[in-house]
Amino acid sequence: MLADHPIKSFLDEDFLLQTDTARRLYHDYAKAMPIIDYHCHLPPDQIAADKRFENLTQIWLYGDHYKWRAMRTNGVPERYCTGDASDYEKFEKWAETVPYTMRNPLYHWTHMELKNPFGVETILNKNTAREVYDACTEQLTGLSTRALLRHFNVRTVCTTDDPTDSLEHHRKIADDGFDIKVLPTFRPDKAMAIDDVAAFQAYVRRVGEVCNQEIRTLDAYLDCLKQRHDYFAAAGCRLSDHGLETVYAEPYTESEVRTVFEKALSSTALSETERLRFKSYMLDRFAEWDWEKGWTQQFHLGALRNNNQRALRTLGPDTGWDSIGDFQQARPLARFLGGLDNRDQLAKTILYNLNPADNEIMATMIGNFNDGSVPGKIQFGSGWWFLDQKDGMEKQINALSNMGLLSRFVGMLTDSRSFLSYPRHEYFRRILCNLFGRDVENGELPNDIEWIGKLVQDICYRNAEDYFGF
């Protein structure tokens, strides 16, 4: 007869840590490491104003399409997600949904974020909604945006910003002498989004307004965008970012691209090949500018966005109607990175994939262009969006371990719009320590806790500190 196996308490101090070695690695090495959040969508204006939120719904549910998707799936009407219901009514519907999210990462994240920073260990459901809401809302009076960043031991935050952004909020944060660096990231996706000609024309006008000139030629357009790139650098920017279905690597000539630009400004219809040539040309220029400044370029690849046209019309983008796409990644990536490398203009690069079927593609692609100049120059980025969960993180870590050097990985980021998302770093660190601990106790790695503990700390913090040069 098998001995009784004790049931562990949910979310205790050894959550996700299944061996003594894993527990030691986490508590003695990983837990106290600072955080570099090198990619997120936190609003810099809220940090500049040191915003305080009126209630838990405002800081936790506003803009959170992860929660909205779960609520809709649970049969919650839209007015409680993005509509005109009161803040407490929205929270109550979320609380009713939480018990149905078991085995979805939202269940873990929800209770980790209640525990830290609020110290609330109550299981959230319909019956505890008011208790949890009131307890957390009361604490928010002392938890401003800057106080939360300090609480989570964040050292650097990199927001995501359009080239036309004024960066006034970043300047104010720096002028205030805030002890945590809040730096912009150059995200020029709209600058090459030529598929919608009317929207592209409006964006070209906007770039011209920011640069105080009328743009009529491709050269003028590039000159203005380069000015903005320089402007971001002066504000401390060290990274660019692109959110694309796949990278663009269509062969082109400059004369062809000039013609495409002129046709777009004159509202002449463009072929698919012309659009790809223009995007490929622009992506090369951005990559070259990043290399010149020693920046790191990031590519978030594989999202199939805005699938529900009715919802897009009524609610707009980024409201929870995106999914994983099945785009070809390997060949265009090889052409794009190879072209830059052949010209000795390949910047440090991080590749994030959204389709788990592409894990090994990304993990092997980075090895094609690591040239020995920088440890881990080309990175396979952490599990992103739909893969930002236990299974997704483990698969990313295992693919990178098998095909590359996990020890040189720059680690976790939040990719979030919420100031309460930093427990995701804890989640990642526990998962990382559990994998290392399992291998040690299975005899697959030596019981060298000091060395493995150093590797864990490198992945949690030091690799990113060295890699980005903040």
Side-chain angles (χ1 to χ4, degrees), residues 7 19 28-29 41 44 63 94 102 109 146 153 160 164 167-168 186 204 237 259 374 378 389-390 462:
I7 296 177
T19 64
D28 294 352
Y29 292 91
H41 298 274
W94 167 240
M102 285 189 175
W109 296 344
R146 298 190 188 189
N153 198 18
T160 304
T164 62
L167 306 185
E168 60 187 290
F186 191 79
V204 172
C237 180
T259 299
V374 177
I378 313 299
Q389 27 79 3
K390 182 174 179 290
R462 283 193 291 260

Side-chain angles (χ1 to χ4, degrees), residues 57 71 79-80 84-94 133:
T57 299
M71 292 166 72
R79 70 177 297 260
Y80 297 101
D84 61 359
S86 70
D87 284 349
Y88 182 71
E89 287 175 320
K90 290 178 179 179
F91 179 81
E92 189 173 42
K93 289 299 183 183
W94 167 240
Y133 185 84

Side-chain angles (χ1 to χ4, degrees), residues 75-132:
V76 174
E78 191 63 33
R79 70 177 297 260
Y80 297 101
C81 300
T82 62
D84 61 359
S86 70
D87 284 349
Y88 182 71
E89 287 175 320
K90 290 178 179 179
F91 179 81
E92 189 173 42
K93 289 299 183 183
W94 167 240
E96 293 175 8
T97 299
V98 167
Y100 294 93
T101 67
M102 285 189 175
R103 301 208 81 245
N104 183 292
L106 283 167
Y107 195 81
H108 285 167
W109 296 344
T110 291
H111 291 98
M112 291 179 74
E113 291 169 16
L114 290 176
K115 187 174 182 178
N116 186 15
F118 299 110
V120 171
E121 299 188 35
T122 303
I123 299 297
L124 182 59
N125 55 46
K126 179 179 179 179
N127 296 328
T128 62
R130 175 55 72 178
E131 171 193 347
V132 170

Side-chain angles (χ1 to χ4, degrees), residues 24-66:
R24 186 175 174 190
L25 287 171
Y26 177 72
H27 292 296
D28 294 352
Y29 292 91
K31 183 177 181 179
M33 294 303 289
I35 289 173
I36 292 178
D37 195 12
Y38 56 89
H39 175 71
C40 73
H41 298 274
L42 292 180
D45 60 319
Q46 294 184 359
I47 304 174
D50 202 15
K51 179 180 175 65
R52 285 175 168 78
F53 297 87
E54 295 179 9
N55 57 56
L56 185 55
T57 299
Q58 291 186 10
I59 192 173
W60 215 27
L61 271 68
Y62 279 24
D64 193 335
H65 53 81
Y66 289 83

